[in-house]
Amino acid sequence: MLREDCGVFGVYNFQPDSAACLPAGRAKSVYYGLFALQHRGQESAGIAASDGQHVSCHKNMGLVNQVFDEAALARLKGHIAIGHVRYSTTGSSVIENAQPIVIDTRYGTIALAHNGNLINAAILRQDLKDKGISFVGASDSEVIASMIATSKKEDFEEALVDTLKHCKGAYSLAIMTRDKLIAVRDPHGIRPLCIGKLDKAYVISSETCALDILGAQFVRDVANGEIVVVDKDGLRSRTWQMDEREAICVFEYVYFARPDSVLNGRNVYEARFHMGKYLAKEHPVEADMVMAVPESGVPAAMGYSAESKIPYEEGLIKNRYVGRTFIQPSQEIRDLGVRLKLNPIRDAVRGKKVVIVDDSIIRGTTSRQIVRLIREAGAREVHMRVSSPPNLNPCFYGIDTATKAELIAANLSVEGIRKYIEADSLGYLSLKNLIKSVSLPAKNLCLACLNGEYPVRIPERMQSLKLFFS
Ligand code: AMP
Ligand code: SF4
């Protein structure tokens, strides 16, 4: 199955003839925004821009600074622009799936960038195919764009609402028409999306860290089930679906988002620091040092150290030029990936009782390798602490967390996992304290991979596919 774990960004500039209101011009502002969202996707990047008449687009495989140079950015003309960075998952690493998707419709040319995953994409795609629509790639985003294009509604916004009513799952969208910038969040708001403002421009972004890079002021999060439209008359909002509970992905706080971002009012670093503090209360151990699996484990390790009074030290150095372990397609390269990415500081760990904090254990590959690395480096004891509860269920909403068969916690007890990763002890944060750390009501969080309560019902057929196939 194709998943879309991505970042989206958009800008509407009210002074079409002046670059002054954006620190870096139009498309270039999106370039910097995407640069700040690079952690959300390293496979492909793209920007589409509109000058009110024509829509142009540039996208390719690679990191943001590999895909764009000055010449490519200069060709993207206009006062509106949206951009996208895409995460890599097995079998989908092809240019056809790069975004934004640009499509001609009777409402004019539209560009669309999507973060999330539709659980009914296959059915919607088949419906469109039955109507004679062909597809270039395999992304959900192309399905959404094609549904808008084939709508019978007179007006674009009605066509959009009509389309959204059929979409089930997670989606934060940045859409651009020739003269509008539009932000959409699904009825549960599973993936984040926020609005920022510059002097004469509005910005939309997956995370607030990308507003900061432009010096944009945070205005607010896009609400679940909300459509925000920015055009020459300013910003307006409509709620198209307000019956559902808000349910932002808890893994954005645990792992995915950048620590300097604020999602739904909660700073990610603060949340992670508290996860570490609670972890120390729940699973204390006598040790000489606390260290993190860099970089996502760092705030929780600092929290663990603050609570336990065991000194925090660096014990592993990360090669910053290697992408996230998960982006490697095969298990073999994944195994190698840990060594490619991390190297122990032998003198820091030799002879010591070490606590290692990581944000999660998914397949168990990373923890097993790291425990071995630290032991080989001379540590006397190695205690693993995890700043989230056991990952028991697959994610269907756009985070690549493997199938149930691959999820180690779905198949082994905590003691079984401890033995597998060869740690002296293993402790996971409880669900109760994870929720306390995030400081949002449990009913406003998606916790499905931890407790099995999916906010959008997953069809049984799909569940069984994820249960049995890798
Ligand atoms: P694993 O080696 O399969 O147990 O994966 C656990 C490691 O992957 C941890 O170090 C996490 O920081 C990281 N991780 C957790 N969730 C994800 C995700 N959705 N995508 C990529 N990496 C992840
Ligand atoms: Fe996030 Fe887990 Fe829900 Fe997926 S299932 S959206 S990873 S909380």
mmCIF file of all heavy atoms in Angstrom, residues 243-285:
data_model
loop_
_atom_site.group_PDB
_atom_site.id
_atom_site.type_symbol
_atom_site.label_atom_id
_atom_site.label_comp_id
_atom_site.label_asym_id
_atom_site.label_seq_id
_atom_site.Cartn_x
_atom_site.Cartn_y
_atom_site.Cartn_z
ATOM 1 N N ASP A 243 -18.918 17.200 12.773
ATOM 2 C CA ASP A 243 -19.506 16.211 13.685
ATOM 3 C C ASP A 243 -18.476 15.303 14.332
ATOM 4 O O ASP A 243 -18.777 14.542 15.230
ATOM 5 C CB ASP A 243 -20.483 15.293 12.925
ATOM 6 C CG ASP A 243 -21.539 16.103 12.233
ATOM 7 O OD1 ASP A 243 -21.727 17.254 12.654
ATOM 8 O OD2 ASP A 243 -22.142 15.591 11.278
ATOM 9 N N GLU A 244 -17.256 15.332 13.838
ATOM 10 C CA GLU A 244 -16.279 14.332 14.283
ATOM 11 C C GLU A 244 -15.395 14.882 15.389
ATOM 12 O O GLU A 244 -15.174 16.082 15.483
ATOM 13 C CB GLU A 244 -15.411 13.909 13.096
ATOM 14 C CG GLU A 244 -16.182 13.372 11.913
ATOM 15 C CD GLU A 244 -16.758 11.984 12.161
ATOM 16 O OE1 GLU A 244 -16.583 11.441 13.275
ATOM 17 O OE2 GLU A 244 -17.393 11.457 11.240
ATOM 18 N N ARG A 245 -14.831 13.965 16.189
ATOM 19 C CA ARG A 245 -13.911 14.407 17.245
ATOM 20 C C ARG A 245 -12.553 14.743 16.633
ATOM 21 O O ARG A 245 -12.114 14.097 15.679
ATOM 22 C CB ARG A 245 -13.775 13.344 18.316
ATOM 23 C CG ARG A 245 -12.978 12.110 17.892
ATOM 24 C CD ARG A 245 -12.649 11.248 19.102
ATOM 25 N NE ARG A 245 -12.069 9.975 18.718
ATOM 26 C CZ ARG A 245 -10.815 9.631 18.940
ATOM 27 N NH1 ARG A 245 -9.984 10.453 19.519
ATOM 28 N NH2 ARG A 245 -10.362 8.439 18.579
ATOM 29 N N GLU A 246 -11.925 15.762 17.197
ATOM 30 C CA GLU A 246 -10.550 16.065 16.798
ATOM 31 C C GLU A 246 -9.673 14.908 17.262
ATOM 32 O O GLU A 246 -9.894 14.369 18.349
ATOM 33 C CB GLU A 246 -10.127 17.358 17.491
ATOM 34 C CG GLU A 246 -8.801 17.883 17.047
ATOM 35 C CD GLU A 246 -8.468 19.183 17.768
ATOM 36 O OE1 GLU A 246 -8.596 19.232 18.996
ATOM 37 O OE2 GLU A 246 -8.095 20.126 17.091
ATOM 38 N N ALA A 247 -8.692 14.515 16.448
ATOM 39 C CA ALA A 247 -7.842 13.373 16.830
ATOM 40 C C ALA A 247 -6.478 13.499 16.161
ATOM 41 O O ALA A 247 -6.152 12.749 15.248
ATOM 42 C CB ALA A 247 -8.519 12.055 16.436
ATOM 43 N N ILE A 248 -5.682 14.449 16.643
ATOM 44 C CA ILE A 248 -4.344 14.615 16.041
ATOM 45 C C ILE A 248 -3.473 13.417 16.410
ATOM 46 O O ILE A 248 -3.580 12.869 17.514
ATOM 47 C CB ILE A 248 -3.690 15.962 16.459
ATOM 48 C CG1 ILE A 248 -2.396 16.188 15.660
ATOM 49 C CG2 ILE A 248 -3.448 16.043 17.963
ATOM 50 C CD1 ILE A 248 -1.797 17.582 15.780
ATOM 51 N N CYS A 249 -2.638 13.016 15.477
ATOM 52 C CA CYS A 249 -1.750 11.852 15.636
ATOM 53 C C CYS A 249 -0.783 12.055 16.802
ATOM 54 O O CYS A 249 0.014 12.994 16.798
ATOM 55 C CB CYS A 249 -0.967 11.679 14.338
ATOM 56 S SG CYS A 249 0.441 10.577 14.465
ATOM 57 N N VAL A 250 -0.817 11.172 17.777
ATOM 58 C CA VAL A 250 0.071 11.308 18.934
ATOM 59 C C VAL A 250 1.536 11.101 18.531
ATOM 60 O O VAL A 250 2.446 11.624 19.173
ATOM 61 C CB VAL A 250 -0.365 10.351 20.070
ATOM 62 C CG1 VAL A 250 0.117 8.926 19.823
ATOM 63 C CG2 VAL A 250 0.133 10.839 21.415
ATOM 64 N N PHE A 251 1.745 10.374 17.437
ATOM 65 C CA PHE A 251 3.119 10.127 16.992
ATOM 66 C C PHE A 251 3.803 11.363 16.423
ATOM 67 O O PHE A 251 5.026 11.413 16.327
ATOM 68 C CB PHE A 251 3.168 8.944 16.002
ATOM 69 C CG PHE A 251 3.837 7.764 16.627
ATOM 70 C CD1 PHE A 251 3.170 7.005 17.572
ATOM 71 C CD2 PHE A 251 5.149 7.445 16.333
ATOM 72 C CE1 PHE A 251 3.795 5.951 18.206
ATOM 73 C CE2 PHE A 251 5.797 6.395 16.966
ATOM 74 C CZ PHE A 251 5.120 5.646 17.893
ATOM 75 N N GLU A 252 2.994 12.378 16.064
ATOM 76 C CA GLU A 252 3.601 13.662 15.689
ATOM 77 C C GLU A 252 4.396 14.187 16.885
ATOM 78 O O GLU A 252 5.482 14.729 16.732
ATOM 79 C CB GLU A 252 2.520 14.678 15.286
ATOM 80 C CG GLU A 252 1.775 14.332 13.997
ATOM 81 C CD GLU A 252 2.543 14.727 12.726
ATOM 82 O OE1 GLU A 252 3.588 15.389 12.829
ATOM 83 O OE2 GLU A 252 2.085 14.350 11.632
ATOM 84 N N TYR A 253 3.837 14.017 18.090
ATOM 85 C CA TYR A 253 4.510 14.486 19.315
ATOM 86 C C TYR A 253 5.648 13.556 19.721
ATOM 87 O O TYR A 253 6.668 13.990 20.226
ATOM 88 C CB TYR A 253 3.509 14.603 20.474
ATOM 89 C CG TYR A 253 2.434 15.628 20.219
ATOM 90 C CD1 TYR A 253 1.199 15.262 19.690
ATOM 91 C CD2 TYR A 253 2.671 16.970 20.458
ATOM 92 C CE1 TYR A 253 0.220 16.202 19.436
ATOM 93 C CE2 TYR A 253 1.699 17.927 20.205
ATOM 94 C CZ TYR A 253 0.474 17.540 19.694
ATOM 95 O OH TYR A 253 -0.480 18.481 19.427
ATOM 96 N N VAL A 254 5.439 12.265 19.508
ATOM 97 C CA VAL A 254 6.434 11.276 19.947
ATOM 98 C C VAL A 254 7.665 11.317 19.039
ATOM 99 O O VAL A 254 8.807 11.310 19.505
ATOM 100 C CB VAL A 254 5.821 9.853 19.926
ATOM 101 C CG1 VAL A 254 6.889 8.784 20.125
ATOM 102 C CG2 VAL A 254 4.735 9.723 20.978
ATOM 103 N N TYR A 255 7.434 11.366 17.730
ATOM 104 C CA TYR A 255 8.542 11.139 16.804
ATOM 105 C C TYR A 255 8.595 12.092 15.611
ATOM 106 O O TYR A 255 9.651 12.594 15.248
ATOM 107 C CB TYR A 255 8.477 9.694 16.275
ATOM 108 C CG TYR A 255 9.375 9.449 15.101
ATOM 109 C CD1 TYR A 255 10.746 9.252 15.295
ATOM 110 C CD2 TYR A 255 8.889 9.459 13.799
ATOM 111 C CE1 TYR A 255 11.593 9.069 14.220
ATOM 112 C CE2 TYR A 255 9.731 9.270 12.718
ATOM 113 C CZ TYR A 255 11.076 9.079 12.932
ATOM 114 O OH TYR A 255 11.909 8.907 11.875
ATOM 115 N N PHE A 256 7.421 12.290 14.974
ATOM 116 C CA PHE A 256 7.479 12.788 13.610
ATOM 117 C C PHE A 256 7.796 14.276 13.490
ATOM 118 O O PHE A 256 8.625 14.680 12.676
ATOM 119 C CB PHE A 256 6.143 12.464 12.899
ATOM 120 C CG PHE A 256 6.315 12.257 11.434
ATOM 121 C CD1 PHE A 256 7.209 11.313 10.956
ATOM 122 C CD2 PHE A 256 5.600 13.006 10.523
ATOM 123 C CE1 PHE A 256 7.402 11.124 9.602
ATOM 124 C CE2 PHE A 256 5.766 12.821 9.161
ATOM 125 C CZ PHE A 256 6.669 11.881 8.700
ATOM 126 N N ALA A 257 7.140 15.123 14.285
ATOM 127 C CA ALA A 257 7.295 16.573 14.125
ATOM 128 C C ALA A 257 8.620 17.051 14.709
ATOM 129 O O ALA A 257 9.257 16.351 15.498
ATOM 130 C CB ALA A 257 6.136 17.285 14.812
ATOM 131 N N ARG A 258 9.003 18.252 14.304
ATOM 132 C CA ARG A 258 10.246 18.824 14.826
ATOM 133 C C ARG A 258 10.005 19.362 16.233
ATOM 134 O O ARG A 258 8.948 19.939 16.499
ATOM 135 C CB ARG A 258 10.706 19.945 13.883
ATOM 136 C CG ARG A 258 12.058 19.661 13.263
ATOM 137 C CD ARG A 258 12.399 20.630 12.193
ATOM 138 N NE ARG A 258 12.623 21.989 12.668
ATOM 139 C CZ ARG A 258 13.238 22.920 11.957
ATOM 140 N NH1 ARG A 258 13.693 22.628 10.746
ATOM 141 N NH2 ARG A 258 13.385 24.135 12.420
ATOM 142 N N PRO A 259 10.975 19.231 17.144
ATOM 143 C CA PRO A 259 10.745 19.649 18.534
ATOM 144 C C PRO A 259 10.438 21.139 18.693
ATOM 145 O O PRO A 259 9.818 21.542 19.674
ATOM 146 C CB PRO A 259 12.043 19.293 19.256
ATOM 147 C CG PRO A 259 12.922 18.631 18.290
ATOM 148 C CD PRO A 259 12.270 18.549 16.958
ATOM 149 N N ASP A 260 10.868 21.959 17.730
ATOM 150 C CA ASP A 260 10.599 23.397 17.853
ATOM 151 C C ASP A 260 9.214 23.770 17.329
ATOM 152 O O ASP A 260 8.840 24.947 17.351
ATOM 153 C CB ASP A 260 11.690 24.221 17.150
ATOM 154 C CG ASP A 260 11.978 23.752 15.728
ATOM 155 O OD1 ASP A 260 11.699 22.570 15.418
ATOM 156 O OD2 ASP A 260 12.480 24.554 14.924
ATOM 157 N N SER A 261 8.440 22.817 16.866
ATOM 158 C CA SER A 261 7.084 23.113 16.377
ATOM 159 C C SER A 261 6.070 23.072 17.518
ATOM 160 O O SER A 261 6.270 22.379 18.519
ATOM 161 C CB SER A 261 6.668 22.099 15.309
ATOM 162 O OG SER A 261 7.323 22.376 14.087
ATOM 163 N N VAL A 262 4.996 23.825 17.322
ATOM 164 C CA VAL A 262 3.864 23.810 18.266
ATOM 165 C C VAL A 262 2.670 23.272 17.486
ATOM 166 O O VAL A 262 2.262 23.865 16.488
ATOM 167 C CB VAL A 262 3.565 25.233 18.788
ATOM 168 C CG1 VAL A 262 2.357 25.211 19.724
ATOM 169 C CG2 VAL A 262 4.781 25.811 19.499
ATOM 170 N N LEU A 263 2.130 22.136 17.917
ATOM 171 C CA LEU A 263 0.997 21.528 17.211
ATOM 172 C C LEU A 263 -0.215 21.562 18.128
ATOM 173 O O LEU A 263 -0.134 21.128 19.277
ATOM 174 C CB LEU A 263 1.282 20.057 16.855
ATOM 175 C CG LEU A 263 2.625 19.713 16.206
ATOM 176 C CD1 LEU A 263 2.697 18.210 15.967
ATOM 177 C CD2 LEU A 263 2.809 20.458 14.902
ATOM 178 N N ASN A 264 -1.308 22.046 17.627
ATOM 179 C CA ASN A 264 -2.545 22.171 18.420
ATOM 180 C C ASN A 264 -2.256 22.759 19.813
ATOM 181 O O ASN A 264 -2.757 22.272 20.829
ATOM 182 C CB ASN A 264 -3.258 20.813 18.550
ATOM 183 C CG ASN A 264 -3.952 20.415 17.243
ATOM 184 O OD1 ASN A 264 -3.631 20.956 16.173
ATOM 185 N ND2 ASN A 264 -4.905 19.511 17.305
ATOM 186 N N GLY A 265 -1.388 23.759 19.837
ATOM 187 C CA GLY A 265 -1.122 24.486 21.079
ATOM 188 C C GLY A 265 -0.086 23.847 21.983
ATOM 189 O O GLY A 265 0.216 24.383 23.048
ATOM 190 N N ARG A 266 0.503 22.718 21.599
ATOM 191 C CA ARG A 266 1.456 22.049 22.479
ATOM 192 C C ARG A 266 2.828 21.948 21.806
ATOM 193 O O ARG A 266 2.950 21.361 20.715
ATOM 194 C CB ARG A 266 0.936 20.641 22.821
ATOM 195 C CG ARG A 266 1.831 19.838 23.738
ATOM 196 C CD ARG A 266 2.022 20.507 25.073
ATOM 197 N NE ARG A 266 2.586 19.593 26.065
ATOM 198 C CZ ARG A 266 3.283 19.999 27.123
ATOM 199 N NH1 ARG A 266 3.516 21.285 27.324
ATOM 200 N NH2 ARG A 266 3.739 19.118 28.000
ATOM 201 N N ASN A 267 3.840 22.514 22.447
ATOM 202 C CA ASN A 267 5.201 22.446 21.903
ATOM 203 C C ASN A 267 5.718 20.999 21.962
ATOM 204 O O ASN A 267 5.620 20.332 23.002
ATOM 205 C CB ASN A 267 6.112 23.396 22.681
ATOM 206 C CG ASN A 267 7.575 23.206 22.323
ATOM 207 O OD1 ASN A 267 8.389 22.888 23.171
ATOM 208 N ND2 ASN A 267 7.918 23.356 21.059
ATOM 209 N N VAL A 268 6.277 20.562 20.871
ATOM 210 C CA VAL A 268 6.703 19.166 20.745
ATOM 211 C C VAL A 268 7.861 18.852 21.702
ATOM 212 O O VAL A 268 7.893 17.797 22.329
ATOM 213 C CB VAL A 268 7.070 18.866 19.271
ATOM 214 C CG1 VAL A 268 7.654 17.472 19.117
ATOM 215 C CG2 VAL A 268 5.846 19.028 18.373
ATOM 216 N N TYR A 269 8.808 19.782 21.840
ATOM 217 C CA TYR A 269 9.938 19.557 22.756
ATOM 218 C C TYR A 269 9.434 19.363 24.185
ATOM 219 O O TYR A 269 9.843 18.423 24.880
ATOM 220 C CB TYR A 269 10.918 20.738 22.700
ATOM 221 C CG TYR A 269 12.005 20.618 23.736
ATOM 222 C CD1 TYR A 269 13.146 19.858 23.484
ATOM 223 C CD2 TYR A 269 11.875 21.230 24.984
ATOM 224 C CE1 TYR A 269 14.133 19.714 24.452
ATOM 225 C CE2 TYR A 269 12.861 21.083 25.956
ATOM 226 C CZ TYR A 269 13.983 20.327 25.684
ATOM 227 O OH TYR A 269 14.948 20.177 26.644
ATOM 228 N N GLU A 270 8.551 20.264 24.610
ATOM 229 C CA GLU A 270 8.004 20.182 25.973
ATOM 230 C C GLU A 270 7.331 18.835 26.198
ATOM 231 O O GLU A 270 7.493 18.201 27.240
ATOM 232 C CB GLU A 270 6.959 21.299 26.171
ATOM 233 C CG GLU A 270 7.562 22.641 26.481
ATOM 234 C CD GLU A 270 8.161 22.657 27.879
ATOM 235 O OE1 GLU A 270 7.491 22.184 28.806
ATOM 236 O OE2 GLU A 270 9.305 23.119 28.018
ATOM 237 N N ALA A 271 6.532 18.431 25.196
ATOM 238 C CA ALA A 271 5.827 17.147 25.313
ATOM 239 C C ALA A 271 6.836 16.012 25.470
ATOM 240 O O ALA A 271 6.705 15.157 26.355
ATOM 241 C CB ALA A 271 4.941 16.924 24.088
ATOM 242 N N ARG A 272 7.886 16.026 24.649
ATOM 243 C CA ARG A 272 8.886 14.940 24.701
ATOM 244 C C ARG A 272 9.658 14.964 26.018
ATOM 245 O O ARG A 272 9.980 13.915 26.584
ATOM 246 C CB ARG A 272 9.850 15.043 23.510
ATOM 247 C CG ARG A 272 9.169 14.629 22.238
ATOM 248 C CD ARG A 272 10.074 14.654 21.021
ATOM 249 N NE ARG A 272 9.234 14.487 19.836
ATOM 250 C CZ ARG A 272 9.583 14.759 18.603
ATOM 251 N NH1 ARG A 272 10.784 15.203 18.349
ATOM 252 N NH2 ARG A 272 8.742 14.579 17.615
ATOM 253 N N PHE A 273 9.980 16.160 26.506
ATOM 254 C CA PHE A 273 10.702 16.291 27.777
ATOM 255 C C PHE A 273 9.872 15.651 28.899
ATOM 256 O O PHE A 273 10.392 14.892 29.723
ATOM 257 C CB PHE A 273 10.959 17.778 28.056
ATOM 258 C CG PHE A 273 11.888 18.024 29.197
ATOM 259 C CD1 PHE A 273 13.265 17.944 29.022
ATOM 260 C CD2 PHE A 273 11.398 18.337 30.460
ATOM 261 C CE1 PHE A 273 14.136 18.169 30.071
ATOM 262 C CE2 PHE A 273 12.264 18.558 31.520
ATOM 263 C CZ PHE A 273 13.628 18.481 31.325
ATOM 264 N N HIS A 274 8.566 15.945 28.892
ATOM 265 C CA HIS A 274 7.696 15.368 29.920
ATOM 266 C C HIS A 274 7.564 13.859 29.766
ATOM 267 O O HIS A 274 7.475 13.136 30.762
ATOM 268 C CB HIS A 274 6.327 16.054 29.912
ATOM 269 C CG HIS A 274 6.372 17.361 30.636
ATOM 270 N ND1 HIS A 274 6.760 18.529 30.026
ATOM 271 C CD2 HIS A 274 6.153 17.659 31.934
ATOM 272 C CE1 HIS A 274 6.755 19.503 30.916
ATOM 273 N NE2 HIS A 274 6.384 19.009 32.083
ATOM 274 N N MET A 275 7.559 13.377 28.522
ATOM 275 C CA MET A 275 7.532 11.917 28.322
ATOM 276 C C MET A 275 8.725 11.298 29.044
ATOM 277 O O MET A 275 8.612 10.268 29.710
ATOM 278 C CB MET A 275 7.591 11.573 26.822
ATOM 279 C CG MET A 275 6.330 11.909 26.053
ATOM 280 S SD MET A 275 6.591 11.737 24.259
ATOM 281 C CE MET A 275 5.378 12.902 23.644
ATOM 282 N N GLY A 276 9.884 11.923 28.919
ATOM 283 C CA GLY A 276 11.109 11.429 29.564
ATOM 284 C C GLY A 276 11.003 11.467 31.081
ATOM 285 O O GLY A 276 11.432 10.533 31.768
ATOM 286 N N LYS A 277 10.408 12.549 31.602
ATOM 287 C CA LYS A 277 10.268 12.659 33.064
ATOM 288 C C LYS A 277 9.361 11.555 33.612
ATOM 289 O O LYS A 277 9.681 10.887 34.596
ATOM 290 C CB LYS A 277 9.687 14.042 33.421
ATOM 291 C CG LYS A 277 10.689 15.169 33.271
ATOM 292 C CD LYS A 277 10.143 16.482 33.741
ATOM 293 C CE LYS A 277 10.450 16.678 35.196
ATOM 294 N NZ LYS A 277 10.196 18.029 35.670
ATOM 295 N N TYR A 278 8.226 11.375 32.946
ATOM 296 C CA TYR A 278 7.308 10.312 33.387
ATOM 297 C C TYR A 278 7.956 8.925 33.254
ATOM 298 O O TYR A 278 7.749 8.039 34.078
ATOM 299 C CB TYR A 278 6.004 10.351 32.597
ATOM 300 C CG TYR A 278 5.060 11.441 33.053
ATOM 301 C CD1 TYR A 278 4.667 12.467 32.199
ATOM 302 C CD2 TYR A 278 4.540 11.428 34.353
ATOM 303 C CE1 TYR A 278 3.791 13.470 32.625
ATOM 304 C CE2 TYR A 278 3.671 12.420 34.782
ATOM 305 C CZ TYR A 278 3.298 13.435 33.913
ATOM 306 O OH TYR A 278 2.437 14.410 34.340
ATOM 307 N N LEU A 279 8.735 8.777 32.188
ATOM 308 C CA LEU A 279 9.413 7.494 31.957
ATOM 309 C C LEU A 279 10.355 7.181 33.128
ATOM 310 O O LEU A 279 10.418 6.038 33.608
ATOM 311 C CB LEU A 279 10.188 7.591 30.637
ATOM 312 C CG LEU A 279 10.794 6.343 30.033
ATOM 313 C CD1 LEU A 279 9.750 5.261 29.822
ATOM 314 C CD2 LEU A 279 11.472 6.683 28.700
ATOM 315 N N ALA A 280 11.055 8.201 33.599
ATOM 316 C CA ALA A 280 11.977 8.007 34.733
ATOM 317 C C ALA A 280 11.206 7.636 35.999
ATOM 318 O O ALA A 280 11.669 6.827 36.803
ATOM 319 C CB ALA A 280 12.791 9.275 34.951
ATOM 320 N N LYS A 281 10.017 8.241 36.173
ATOM 321 C CA LYS A 281 9.206 7.903 37.363
ATOM 322 C C LYS A 281 8.697 6.472 37.277
ATOM 323 O O LYS A 281 8.666 5.749 38.259
ATOM 324 C CB LYS A 281 7.998 8.844 37.434
ATOM 325 C CG LYS A 281 8.332 10.197 37.982
ATOM 326 C CD LYS A 281 7.058 10.982 38.218
ATOM 327 C CE LYS A 281 7.400 12.420 38.474
ATOM 328 N NZ LYS A 281 6.319 13.334 38.402
ATOM 329 N N GLU A 282 8.277 6.093 36.064
ATOM 330 C CA GLU A 282 7.698 4.748 35.902
ATOM 331 C C GLU A 282 8.746 3.650 35.898
ATOM 332 O O GLU A 282 8.491 2.547 36.373
ATOM 333 C CB GLU A 282 6.931 4.669 34.573
ATOM 334 C CG GLU A 282 5.592 5.353 34.584
ATOM 335 C CD GLU A 282 4.844 5.063 33.294
ATOM 336 O OE1 GLU A 282 4.715 3.881 32.917
ATOM 337 O OE2 GLU A 282 4.391 6.030 32.650
ATOM 338 N N HIS A 283 9.899 3.943 35.320
ATOM 339 C CA HIS A 283 10.931 2.901 35.161
ATOM 340 C C HIS A 283 12.293 3.401 35.633
ATOM 341 O O HIS A 283 13.212 3.592 34.830
ATOM 342 C CB HIS A 283 11.007 2.446 33.700
ATOM 343 C CG HIS A 283 9.735 1.861 33.201
ATOM 344 N ND1 HIS A 283 9.293 0.610 33.575
ATOM 345 C CD2 HIS A 283 8.782 2.371 32.393
ATOM 346 C CE1 HIS A 283 8.127 0.368 33.004
ATOM 347 N NE2 HIS A 283 7.786 1.414 32.278
ATOM 348 N N PRO A 284 12.442 3.602 36.943
ATOM 349 C CA PRO A 284 13.741 4.061 37.442
ATOM 350 C C PRO A 284 14.780 2.943 37.357
ATOM 351 O O PRO A 284 14.410 1.767 37.323
ATOM 352 C CB PRO A 284 13.435 4.415 38.903
ATOM 353 C CG PRO A 284 12.230 3.614 39.259
ATOM 354 C CD PRO A 284 11.460 3.354 38.009
ATOM 355 N N VAL A 285 16.033 3.335 37.309
ATOM 356 C CA VAL A 285 17.106 2.341 37.322
ATOM 357 C C VAL A 285 18.371 3.027 37.843
ATOM 358 O O VAL A 285 18.556 4.226 37.646
ATOM 359 C CB VAL A 285 17.319 1.730 35.902
ATOM 360 C CG1 VAL A 285 17.753 2.776 34.891
ATOM 361 C CG2 VAL A 285 18.319 0.580 35.922
#
